[in-house]
Amino acid sequence: MTTHPRFSHTTRAHSFNTAAAQYAANRPSYPPALFTTLEDLAARPLKGAKVIDVGAGTGISTTLLHARGADVIAVEPGAGMAAEFRRTHPDIPLVRGTGDTLPLATASADFLTYAQSWHWTNPAHSLPEAFRVLRPGGALALWWNTSALDVPWIAAQAQRIDQYFEDAHPTEEGTTTKTEEGTVTKTEEGTATKTKKDTESHQRTPGFLGGAFKGAPEPPPHTHRVVRWSRHVPVDTHLANIGSHSAFLVLGKEDTDAFLAEERTRLLETFPDGRVEEVYDVLVIVATRS
C-alpha cells in the first residue's frame, strides 16, 4: 500500500504555509494549567529559563511561554507560518529551522518545547538534537491538544470525519488512504487513531504514549500528564479550526467546503445558539536530559 502523494507526510507538513492566518485565528490555545504542569514535571520554573519553542508556527505556544517569563526563541521551518509569526509577534526572535537539525548551539537551552509539532520530526534525529541543545537537567516537553472523545458530540463528529475520508477519498490503488504507518496513524495532534485516514481532528491519547519516541536510538525516560480544558467558540470558528488541519488543507477547497457545509448544518441542530464548547485533553510528555 502506498500513500497518495497529496496525503504524504511532507506535503501535509508544508500545507500550513498557505493557511497561516486561518491557523492563527482559529486554532485553540493552551490553558495556564498546562504550563504549571510542565514546570512540575520538569522540576524547574519557566520564568527566566531559556526556552526554544520548535515548530512554533504562528506563535500560539511561544507567546504563552513568553508571558510566563521565559526567554523564548522560536524555531519554525515554514515560510508562511514564519511570516505570520513575525507579523504578529515582532518582538519575539524567530529563526528558520527544523527539529531534526536545530540551528542552535550545544547546551544552550533549559527547555525545548514542541506544541503540536513533534510528530512532524524524525525522532531518530530530533531526539539527539534536542538533548544536544539542552543543558544538563534541561527538559524536552512535547504536548498536543487532543479532542475529548468522551464528549458525545465530539465523538460523533470524529466518526463522521473518519467516514468521510474512508468513503470519499481512495488512494491511487483504489483503496482507502493510509499513512506510511498503516491503519494506526499519527494525527497532527500527535496521538494514535484507528482510522484509515489521518484526519487530525480527533485523537486517542493512550496510543501515542508508546510511540512519541519511535525510531529514536534509545527512547529516554519520560513522564506524562493529561490536562483537560475547554473553550466556547462560534460554530464557524470551530469549522475553520477543523479546516486548518493538514488533512483538509491538502484535500482541496471543494471537498473541504462540502464537508464543512454539511457539518455546519449538523452542528446548528445540536447548538441552535451557534456556539460550541470544544473540550480538549492536553497530553504533555516531558523527558529530562541527565
Side-chain angles (χ1 to χ4, degrees), residues 3-240:
T3 301
H4 192 290
R6 183 171 58 168
F7 295 105
S8 72
H9 188 80
T10 300
T11 300
R12 292 178 61 185
H14 291 164
S15 67
F16 303 110
N17 290 304
T18 61
Q22 177 184 351
Y23 190 109
N26 300 291
R27 282 297 184 101
S29 185
Y30 305 101
L34 166 65
F35 299 98
T36 301
T37 299
L38 172 56
E39 292 175 321
D40 185 26
L41 293 178
R44 62 191 308 159
L46 286 164
K47 185 175 182 179
K50 186 70 171 183
V51 178
I52 310 300
D53 191 31
V54 188
T58 61
I60 295 173
S61 60
T62 316
T63 55
L64 296 174
L65 291 163
H66 179 75
R68 296 283 292 208
D71 178 13
V72 190
I73 295 176
V75 177
E76 168 56 38
M81 298 290 264
E84 180 68 17
F85 183 106
R86 287 177 171 137
R87 184 183 70 81
T88 53
H89 312 298
D91 297 330
I92 299 178
L94 178 145
V95 296
R96 296 287 300 281
T98 74
D100 292 343
T101 54
L102 290 168
L104 302 163
T106 297
S108 60
D110 301 307
F111 286 88
L112 247 70
T113 58
Y114 283 82
Q116 310 293 128
S117 59
W118 176 257
H119 55 284
W120 295 118
T121 74
N122 178 354
H125 303 297
S126 56
L127 183 61
E129 272 290 271
F131 280 4
R132 176 186 68 80
V133 171
L134 284 170
R135 296 166 178 153
L140 170 63
L142 326 173
W143 66 83
W144 295 266
N145 271 320
T146 70
S147 297
L149 294 181
D150 59 333
V151 178
W153 79 265
I154 293 176
Q157 183 178 76
Q159 292 176 350
R160 290 193 294 272
I161 293 172
D162 283 355
Q163 197 65 51
Y164 183 71
F165 280 97
E166 288 184 28
D167 289 348
H169 304 289
T171 65
E172 290 175 315
E173 297 180 357
T175 55
T176 303
T177 302
K178 297 185 180 182
T179 68
E180 292 87 343
E181 296 184 3
T183 57
V184 178
T185 65
K186 289 191 294 184
T187 70
E188 184 178 320
E189 282 71 21
T191 56
T193 170
K194 294 179 181 178
T195 67
K196 295 180 181 179
K197 178 70 194 72
D198 176 2
T199 63
E200 313 154 45
S201 297
H202 53 280
Q203 310 80 35
R204 291 155 179 82
T205 298
F208 192 62
L209 288 175
F213 302 109
K214 182 179 179 181
E218 184 176 350
H222 55 280
T223 187
H224 79 279
R225 288 188 193 167
V226 175
V227 178
R228 175 159 288 199
W229 74 288
S230 67
R231 67 171 187 167
H232 291 82
V233 296
V235 164
D236 288 339
T237 297
H238 172 69
L239 294 172

Side-chain angles (χ1 to χ4, degrees), residues 257-278:
D257 287 351
F259 174 83
L260 294 179
E262 184 174 345
E263 194 64 20
R264 188 176 194 276
T265 299
R266 289 179 179 271
L267 289 173
L268 288 175
E269 291 173 356
T270 305
F271 302 100
D273 66 348
R275 295 186 65 83
V276 304
E277 182 184 14
E278 296 177 344

